[in-house]
Amino acid sequence: MVESSPEQSAEPQAAAQPRGRRSARAAGLLLSLGVLVLVCVASIVVGAKPVPLGDVWHGLFQNSGTNHDVLIADVRVPRTLLGLLAGVALGLAGAVMQALTRNPLAEPGLMGVNAGAAAAVVTATSVLGATSFMGYVWFAFVGAAIVSVLVYVLGGGRAATPVRLALAGTAATAALYGYVNAVQLLDSAALDRLRFWTVGSLAGADADIVAAVAPFIAAGVVLAALVARPLNAMEMGDDTARALGANLTRTRVLAMLAVTLLCGGATAACGPIVFVGLMVPYLVRAITGPDMRWILPYAAVLSPVLLLGSDIVGRVVARPSELQVGIVTALIGGPVFIHLVRRKRMAQL
C-alpha cells in the first residue's frame, strides 16, 4: 500500500479552502440581502404614526387616496428608496476612499467631503436662491470634489498617513461647517429651508428627488465597480500595482470621481450623514478580507441596513415627533470611531 506524502494530501485542502471561503462569503452576502429586504419592509411599516398592516398593503397596491394610502405610497416608500440609495452611495464611497488612501479611518464625512458638499449647497441656496434639488445638486458635486482634493493634498498626497488625513479632514470640516452655520444665522430664510437638511435627514423625500439622484448614484456605483481590481493592486503598494499593470493616475481619478458622484448625490438629497461610510466598510473588511470585489457588494448591502435602521430608530424613539437619521448615526458612530482611534494597532490598509 502506497501512502500519500504530506504535500500531496495538503494540496486538496489548500484548494478547498479558497472555495470554502468564497462559498461562505456568498452565503453571507445572500443573508445580508435578506436582512436588507426586512429592513426596507420595516421602514415602510414602522413610523412615527402607526399604520395597520392591512392599510400598508392597501397603500402599496390599491392606493385610493386615503390618508394612510398617501402616507405609505407618497411618504414612506420614497423615504425608504432614498435611504436605500443614500446608504449604497455612502457605503461604496467610504470603501473606495479607504482603499484609495490605505487609511482605515477614511470616510466622506471625516475627510471633509460631506462638509464641502454642504457648504456648496448652502451657498447655492442662500446666495443664488436655489431651492430645488436640481438647482443645487451640481454645487454639491463641485464642493465635494474640491474638498476631497484639498484634504488629500493637505494630508500629504501620495505620502499621506491616516493621522494626517484625519487631521486635514477634521480641519476642513470644522472650517466649512463654521461657514455653513454663519450663513444660516445671517440668513433666516436659509435656516428655515435647511435646518433639517444640515443634520442629515430622509424626511421630506419624494419620488422626484429619488428619480433625480438615482442616475448620479448609479454612475458612481459603476465607476466604483470598475476600479475594484486596480484598487486591490494599489493596496500592495504603488510599485507592485505598476508591475501588475494598474494605471495609478487613471485609477485615482476614477476613484475620486466615483466618490464625488456617490457622496455628492447622497449629500445633496439627504444632507451630510456621517459615520455610515466609516463603520460599514471597516467592519466588512474584517469579514471579507481586503478584496474590493467582495468589500464593495457587502458595503452596498449593509450600509443601507444601517442607514434605514437608524432612520427607523429615530422615528420610534421620539414619537410622535422624529429624531433625524444624521443624529442617530452620529450617536452610534461616535463611540465606534473612538474605539477605532484607541486601538493599539492602527495599521494602514
Side-chain angles (χ1 to χ4, degrees):
M1 181 176 180
V2 180
E3 295 184 359
S4 61
S5 65
E7 291 82 0
Q8 291 174 331
S9 61
E11 288 178 1
Q13 297 177 4
Q17 187 174 1
R19 286 196 297 268
R21 189 171 187 182
R22 284 195 296 268
S23 299
R25 288 169 173 170
L29 187 58
L30 288 175
L31 178 61
S32 300
L33 283 170
V35 174
L36 177 59
V37 171
L38 292 177
V39 172
C40 289
V41 172
S43 178
I44 296 173
V45 174
V46 180
K49 180 179 180 180
V51 178
L53 288 177
D55 290 353
V56 172
W57 182 267
H58 193 274
L60 288 173
F61 301 104
Q62 299 175 344
N63 189 348
S64 59
T66 64
N67 289 338
H68 283 173
D69 288 351
V70 172
L71 176 64
I72 296 299
D74 297 340
V75 177
R76 290 189 184 174
V77 169
R79 182 171 185 162
T80 300
L81 291 176
L82 183 59
L84 180 64
L85 289 173
V88 169
L90 295 174
L92 290 180
V96 170
M97 189 169 285
Q98 288 177 8
L100 182 65
T101 61
R102 303 190 193 105
N103 177 11
L105 296 182
E107 188 259 351
L110 293 174
M111 302 300 289
V113 181
N114 282 347
V121 169
V122 168
T123 300
T125 302
S126 178
V127 178
L128 303 178
T131 57
S132 65
F133 173 81
M134 293 306 297
Y136 58 69
V137 63
W138 298 107
F139 291 90
F141 291 137
V142 172
I146 292 174
V147 175
S148 62
V149 173
L150 177 63
V151 169
Y152 186 67
V153 171
L154 292 177
R158 294 184 179 182
T161 64
V163 173
R164 293 183 66 179
L165 284 171
L167 289 175
T170 300
T173 298
L176 290 170
Y177 277 132
Y179 165 76
V180 169
N181 292 332
V183 170
Q184 290 183 305
L185 287 175
L186 295 174
D187 187 345
S188 58
L191 176 61
D192 290 337
R193 289 194 299 267
L194 298 173
R195 65 182 184 275
F196 291 119
W197 183 89
T198 51
V199 298
S201 174
L202 298 178
D206 57 36
D208 292 336
I209 292 179
V210 173
V213 75
F216 300 108
I217 293 178
V221 170
V222 172
L223 288 176
L226 290 176
V227 298
R229 190 179 295 273
L231 283 176
N232 278 342
M234 289 178 61
E235 288 187 3
M236 295 183 285
D238 289 355
D239 293 336
T240 302
R242 290 191 189 95
L244 293 174
N247 187 319
L248 301 187
T249 301
R250 181 176 62 188
T251 299
R252 289 191 175 102
V253 170
L254 290 178
M256 292 309 300
L257 181 58
V259 170
T260 300
L261 287 171
L262 293 167
C263 186
T267 303
C270 308
I273 299 175
V274 297
F275 289 119
V276 174
L278 167 66
M279 290 186 289
V280 176
Y282 187 92
L283 296 176
V284 163
R285 186 175 291 270
I287 298 172
T288 66
D291 192 344
M292 291 294 291
R293 293 172 297 179
W294 285 102
I295 292 175
L296 291 180
Y298 264 91
V301 172
L302 293 178
S303 294
V305 169
L306 174 60
L307 185 60
L308 288 173
S310 300
D311 187 47
I312 294 171
V313 171
R315 286 185 251 171
V316 171
V317 298
R319 283 178 175 174
S321 184
E322 293 186 9
L323 193 63
Q324 305 305 314
V325 66
I327 298 174
V328 179
T329 58
L331 291 174
I332 297 173
V336 174
F337 180 66
I338 293 172
H339 169 70
L340 297 180
V341 171
R342 289 177 58 86
R343 286 180 61 134
K344 293 181 180 179
R345 189 165 178 260
M346 276 287 296
Q348 293 184 357
L349 299 180

